[in-house]
Amino acid sequence: MAEQTNTVAEPNTPEHTGRDFSLRAIIHNAGIGLALLGLILFFSIFTEHFLNPNNITNILTQITINLILAVGMTFVILIGGIDLSVGSVMAFAAVIAGKAITLPGFGTTEIILLACILAVTAGFACGLLNGLITSYWALPSFIITLGMLNIARGAALHVSDAQTIYSFPFAFEEFGSAQFYGVPVVFLVALALVLLAWFVLNRTVFGRLLYGIGNNEEAVRLAGHPVFWYKVAAFTICGLTAGIAAIVYMARLNIASPIAGIGFELNAIAAVIIGGTSLSGGRGSVIGTLLGAFIIGVLANGLILIGLSDFMRQMITGVVIIVAVILDYYRARYAKK
């Protein structure tokens, strides 16, 4: 009797949909890029200083933290999850690092290195805990990360005694304001994370399986892959990027505040969704996330230059997010057809 094998077709991922996926991805990202170019053209015409080199540098600096958080958020949304805790985790990681960086008796290099390690470790731990709880009990990530949002914020306030920590070494502050041929070094750090995430998602088995989990989790499980640990890893990466964002935040502002990062999780989610990653998981790219972060940053900066109030800027940004979600709905319907 011929041996019967139980095979499960691998889910549609960047590596398994061939040229059609690549073409659609290029067209999709090109559409987002055209929207970004349209915004740049609009603000270039209707504002005087938008294309000023100093303003361009300012935009790159302003989007850095959101871009770093959005890179990690992309991993979570690709598997059909969401992480509402990243802003609070960033604040907690910053406070932990801030406490360390102000300790006496250490050399400048050693204390900065220790602070960075602690910030990344704090973010890693929070993301790992989110992933373990969400995956083990198969609970909605929305609820679990909402709980972590409060835990991390409370921990940040407790560790810092609700006080802002400041007086960091000059070398740390210098890193936050450094430029390389006019490009902020902190933005280059964020760009390096984007490239690393792109490689992981598009050129590794791990990345392909994250897409697969978002498309059809059961198929990936039946194929023999440890879905539990892949989902945990996605949340852990998201927490890790929150720790990196904390370092950039501290270097830029030279403070560590326990109330930092309020609302940052919404901006990160907005960048991912505007960039075309589906809220239902399985579709999207980190390049789209990069473009989405740029759209949010350019929109915010341009509206300020036009002279709109903060309330109007929030309303317009909200409209853009809603439109992006509606477009995602129609993209999903088109994909099913």
Side-chain angles (χ1 to χ4, degrees), residues 2 6 10 35 37 44 46-47 52 67 77 90 97 100 124 135-136 143 161 190 229 237 243 256 265 275 291 314:
N6 185 21
E10 288 196 63
L37 288 176
S44 300
F46 291 100
T47 63
N52 184 288
L67 178 56
I77 293 181
M90 188 196 84
F124 177 92
S135 301
Y136 185 81
I143 300 299
D161 293 324
W229 289 112
I237 290 170
E265 60 280 345
L291 296 174
Q314 289 186 36

Side-chain angles (χ1 to χ4, degrees), residues 24-149:
R24 283 186 293 170
I26 291 171
I27 293 173
H28 175 61
N29 287 332
I32 301 170
L34 287 174
L36 176 60
L37 288 176
L39 278 177
I40 293 173
L41 180 61
F42 176 83
F43 290 126
S44 300
I45 294 172
F46 291 100
T47 63
E48 184 178 354
H49 303 292
F50 182 78
L51 290 181
N52 184 288
N54 289 333
N55 189 56
I56 299 299
T57 299
N58 188 38
I59 292 173
L60 295 178
T61 302
Q62 289 175 346
I63 72 169
T64 295
I65 292 176
N66 188 36
L67 178 56
I68 293 172
L69 293 174
V71 167
M73 189 70 70
T74 303
F75 282 80
V76 171
I77 293 181
L78 278 175
I79 64 169
I82 203 160
D83 190 341
L84 298 179
S85 69
V86 291
S88 296
V89 170
M90 188 196 84
F92 174 58
V95 165
I96 292 294
K99 279 287 188 180
I101 210 170
T102 54
L103 290 174
F106 289 90
T108 300
T109 303
E110 291 81 2
I111 199 65
I112 290 176
L113 181 60
L114 174 63
C116 292
I117 291 173
L118 288 175
V120 171
T121 302
F124 177 92
C126 291
L128 177 63
L129 191 58
N130 280 336
L132 288 172
I133 296 174
T134 300
S135 301
Y136 185 81
W137 281 285
L139 297 172
S141 57
F142 176 91
I143 300 299
I144 301 306
T145 58
L146 182 62
M148 180 58 74
L149 179 153

Side-chain angles (χ1 to χ4, degrees), residues 54-273:
N54 289 333
N55 189 56
I56 299 299
T57 299
N58 188 38
I59 292 173
L60 295 178
T61 302
Q62 289 175 346
I63 72 169
T64 295
I65 292 176
N66 188 36
L67 178 56
I68 293 172
L69 293 174
V71 167
M73 189 70 70
T74 303
F75 282 80
V76 171
I77 293 181
L78 278 175
I79 64 169
I82 203 160
D83 190 341
L84 298 179
S85 69
V86 291
S88 296
V89 170
M90 188 196 84
F92 174 58
V95 165
I96 292 294
K99 279 287 188 180
I101 210 170
T102 54
L103 290 174
F106 289 90
T108 300
T109 303
E110 291 81 2
I111 199 65
I112 290 176
L113 181 60
L114 174 63
C116 292
I117 291 173
L118 288 175
V120 171
T121 302
F124 177 92
C126 291
L128 177 63
L129 191 58
N130 280 336
L132 288 172
I133 296 174
T134 300
S135 301
Y136 185 81
W137 281 285
L139 297 172
S141 57
F142 176 91
I143 300 299
I144 301 306
T145 58
L146 182 62
M148 180 58 74
L149 179 153
N150 288 282
I151 293 170
R153 183 68 64 186
L157 290 165
H158 175 73
V159 170
S160 65
D161 293 324
Q163 301 294 316
T164 298
I165 304 169
Y166 53 90
S167 297
F168 298 157
F170 177 73
F172 199 61
E173 181 183 1
E174 196 173 38
F175 165 73
S177 59
Q179 295 184 9
F180 182 76
Y181 291 101
V183 179
V185 171
V186 290
F187 175 75
L188 293 177
V189 171
L191 192 60
L193 286 176
V194 170
L195 295 175
L196 178 61
W198 178 88
F199 178 81
V200 170
L201 290 173
N202 292 275
R203 292 292 182 266
T204 68
V205 174
F206 171 74
R208 296 199 298 271
L209 288 174
L210 290 185
Y211 279 97
I213 291 170
N215 278 313
N216 191 333
E217 181 177 331
E218 188 61 22
V220 177
R221 181 179 288 107
L222 292 175
H225 299 289
V227 171
F228 174 88
W229 289 112
Y230 282 108
K231 295 173 72 173
V232 170
F235 280 95
T236 303
I237 290 170
C238 194
L240 189 68
T241 56
I244 296 172
I247 298 169
V248 172
Y249 155 78
M250 292 168 61
R252 275 191 56 204
L253 301 181
N254 204 32
I255 61 170
S257 171
I259 60 172
I262 295 176
F264 281 26
E265 60 280 345
L266 301 181
N267 289 333
I269 293 169
V272 176
I273 301 307

